[in-house]
Amino acid sequence: MLILRSAALFVVAALFEIGGAWLVWQGVREHRGWLWMTGGVLALGAYGFVATFQPDAHFGRILAAYGGIFVAGSILRGVVADGYRPDRFDLTGALICLAGMAVIMWAPRNGG
């Protein structure tokens, strides 16, 4: 159950971070205005809070592990929203990142 909760928190964090960055991008690069940028900043702020709910107490470990989710989530976002077609190297790299995340976050440890 702890792993499912942790994985769900990583997914929520990715939605806030990737979505927030996209909103800022739209506000600045696509000239959609300050409301888009404000929404992005708020989403990015929410992303910062999500990590505090992870069951592991080590910030560095959580942030490092989250990187794998961010990489895979960014590719997935491109597929869904932009019609991006990842090649085998994109997919292999994302799988390596996810495997690294799982090792960092959920490997059995004795005492910490």
Side-chain angles (χ1 to χ4, degrees):
M1 193 61 154
L2 205 58
I3 290 176
L4 288 176
R5 178 176 180 243
S6 178
L9 286 168
F10 279 138
V11 170
V12 171
L15 291 172
F16 279 129
E17 186 181 18
I18 296 166
W22 181 81
L23 288 170
V24 170
W25 177 281
Q26 292 297 305
V28 175
R29 298 272 308 238
E30 303 299 326
H31 308 289
R32 297 204 178 192
W34 64 272
L35 285 176
W36 287 72
M37 290 181 277
T38 301
V41 168
L42 291 172
L44 290 167
Y47 148 74
F49 280 99
V50 172
T52 66
F53 298 110
Q54 282 288 352
D56 193 292
H58 299 93
F59 175 76
R61 180 179 293 151
I62 291 166
L63 198 59
Y66 169 70
I69 298 293
F70 178 78
V71 170
S74 295
I75 290 173
L76 181 60
R77 188 246 169 244
V79 168
V80 171
D82 297 331
Y84 173 68
R85 296 190 50 123
D87 62 23
R88 64 185 174 164
F89 300 108
D90 294 325
L91 296 174
T92 301
L95 289 173
I96 289 169
C97 290
L98 289 172
M101 178 276 304
V103 170
I104 290 168
M105 199 66 195
W106 302 319
R109 292 183 167 85
N110 292 327

